[in-house]
Amino acid sequence: MKRKLIAAVGAATMMASVAACGGSGGEAAKDPKDRKGELTVWLMTDAQSTWPELVKQANTAFNKKYPGVKVKIQYQQWSDKTKKLDAALAGDKFPDVVELGNTETMTYILNGALGEIDAKKYDNSDTWIKGLKDTCSYEGKLYCVPYYAGARVAIYNKSMFKAATGSDTLPTTEDDLTKALDKVQSKYGKKDKAFSALYLPGRYWYAAMSYVAAYGGKIAEYDDSSKKWKATLSSPEAQEGIKHYIELVKKYNHGDQTKDEQDHANVMANEKAALIYGNGWESGSVIDGNANGNPKLKDKIATAGMPGPNGKALPSFIGGSDLATISKSKNQDLAEAWISLFTNEKSEAALAAKNILPNNTKQLEPLKSKPETAPIANAVPDAWFTPIAPGWAAVEKKETIELMLLDILKGTSVEDATKAADAEIDKLINEAS
């Protein structure tokens, strides 16, 4: 297949360049204490702001084993990380370890950028969460290590719901939730026309696809007869979910409906929303003064499972991050050693203690009954994910689906908009596969 050729060529190119350029260390020495050099690690700013002690813990353990190797942590922003990584990989100054969102990994697997991983070197690899492990796997080989999992939940202002409805507990069915939202909107919307009882941004494609999943729809399916993936947003089930989502956006979002979800935690922090649908950790962002949050809301923000259509919970996207070594690096053994320490059982327990979902079901289980984490932990088993198709990695799926949602908000029929999106996704998948 074309994609195999692309991957093979990319891998060959990467390997050929090892002798000419690479990471920052020398050849592997027999005694770890004799190793010299530097190990460059790219982590996202989440680690810097939310679990810096975990980074310090891993570095301390690593330096104890490799005292001659200096670990350089370089924190990255999600907004420009991939552009910076692509530029780094094209040159001779690149990281040895990189954190990737689980929707980003396939692109780098196919172009040969990531080194192969031995799962036996990592704690609890036999119970890694499937939604994360699948995004690290290609043709029977593993190219990254699950780091942490994420699922979306309802994040709400208890005080606002209490004042408007008499209860600070979020309703468990969507029918009851919309009744409560109407009361919240009536109470707070009178004083502030920009107030949104439920702030659902129009370009929030993860949320929109959750409603698609709620009605049994999918973004794409694999067609056995043609041996290709085929976009299915124009299916009746998917269209029903999209219509439901758009109705909620139009009814409850009284802000800028054309925005995405990037600042919805700040919208809530500014008390312009009573409910948002976000990653579990974003409840902390709402009250974190260092992240433009509002510390005054500390005891007012809570999480719960998000009610969905037909009396069921809203299916969540299974998000999260993975860690990978760079195939051009001369320090792949050191990179694997650092990742192993950063994701071992002790480290994952530290994440779980901060209510971050660990990378494995063994350590996830206790969080299902912990009040603070039960909503998000219980959302993982029924979560959905983007198509596990090699071609999907090259699809501008975010922009395609976002533009579809915007077109519908502007008046294009759901039928016409979904058909156009399917055609674009099919084209991009087939060109990339």
Side-chain angles (χ1 to χ4, degrees), residues 110-425:
L110 291 177
N111 67 21
L114 308 186
E116 190 174 343
I117 294 290
D118 181 1
K120 295 179 182 178
K121 296 180 180 179
Y122 302 91
D123 286 359
N124 296 314
S125 59
D126 57 336
T127 62
W128 277 342
I129 292 173
K130 187 177 185 299
L132 294 181
K133 183 178 179 180
D134 284 350
T135 63
C136 288
S137 306
Y138 182 64
E139 296 191 336
K141 295 182 179 180
L142 192 69
Y143 294 92
C144 52
V145 176
Y147 172 15
Y148 65 85
R152 284 166 170 77
V153 294
I155 302 171
Y156 69 104
N157 187 311
K158 295 187 296 181
S159 294
M160 287 184 174
F161 273 83
K162 176 74 172 179
T165 70
S167 173
D168 63 1
T169 300
L170 197 75
T172 57
T173 68
E174 191 179 65
D175 286 344
D176 288 340
L177 176 61
T178 55
K179 292 176 183 176
L181 289 173
D182 291 341
K183 293 179 181 179
V184 173
Q185 188 65 45
S186 178
K187 180 174 179 61
Y188 293 95
K190 289 179 180 179
K191 296 180 181 179
D192 185 356
K193 292 183 178 180
F195 177 81
S196 302
L198 167 61
Y199 183 73
L200 270 182
R203 290 194 291 123
Y204 192 179
W205 77 279
Y206 286 115
M209 294 305 101
S210 286
Y211 285 93
V212 166
Y215 281 92
K218 297 179 180 179
I219 297 173
E221 289 185 304
Y222 186 73
D223 182 11
D224 287 323
S225 59
S226 64
K227 305 300 180 183
K228 293 181 179 181
W229 285 80
K230 184 173 178 60
T232 54
L233 289 176
S234 59
S235 70
E237 295 84 1
Q239 288 185 1
E240 194 68 24
I242 292 169
K243 288 177 182 177
H244 192 108
Y245 171 76
I246 293 295
E247 288 171 358
L248 291 173
V249 171
K250 288 183 175 180
K251 183 176 182 181
Y252 293 112
N253 183 346
H254 296 276
D256 185 349
Q257 295 181 353
T258 67
K259 296 177 69 174
D260 63 20
E261 77 281 10
Q262 292 302 313
D263 70 342
H264 65 173
N266 294 138
V267 172
M268 173 168 271
N270 290 324
E271 299 181 86
K272 296 288 187 179
L275 170 64
I276 62 174
Y277 179 58
N279 292 291
W281 54 265
E282 289 183 286
S283 61
S285 298
V286 174
I287 61 175
D288 185 357
N290 295 321
N292 296 320
N294 185 353
K296 294 180 180 179
L297 299 179
K298 180 180 178 181
D299 297 321
K300 297 180 180 180
I301 303 302
T303 61
M306 184 70 171
N310 305 316
K312 298 180 180 179
L314 184 67
S316 170
F317 171 79
I318 178 69
S321 278
D322 302 314
L323 294 164
T325 67
I326 297 300
S327 63
K328 292 202 297 184
S329 170
K330 294 178 181 179
N331 291 327
Q332 286 191 63
D333 62 323
L334 294 176
E336 280 208 77
W338 188 90
I339 294 173
S340 179
L341 291 168
F342 194 60
T343 61
N344 64 17
E345 186 157 346
K346 180 180 179 181
S347 295
E348 294 295 321
L351 286 178
K354 288 183 171 290
N355 298 334
I356 304 298
L357 301 188
N359 65 4
N360 64 91
T361 57
K362 173 186 173 183
Q363 291 177 284
L364 176 70
E365 195 61 33
L367 300 186
K368 292 182 179 180
S369 55
K370 185 179 178 181
E372 299 90 339
T373 54
I376 187 172
N378 284 297
V380 170
D382 296 323
W384 62 273
F385 192 67
T386 51
I388 304 293
W392 182 259
V395 175
E396 297 296 333
K397 72 276 183 185
K398 179 177 182 289
E399 289 79 4
T400 300
I401 298 177
E402 284 186 343
L403 287 173
M404 176 195 72
L405 295 171
L406 284 179
D407 284 343
I408 296 170
L409 282 169
K410 292 176 182 177
T412 303
S413 71
V414 172
E415 292 75 12
D416 289 344
T418 54
K419 287 179 182 177
D422 275 355
E424 182 66 15
I425 291 173

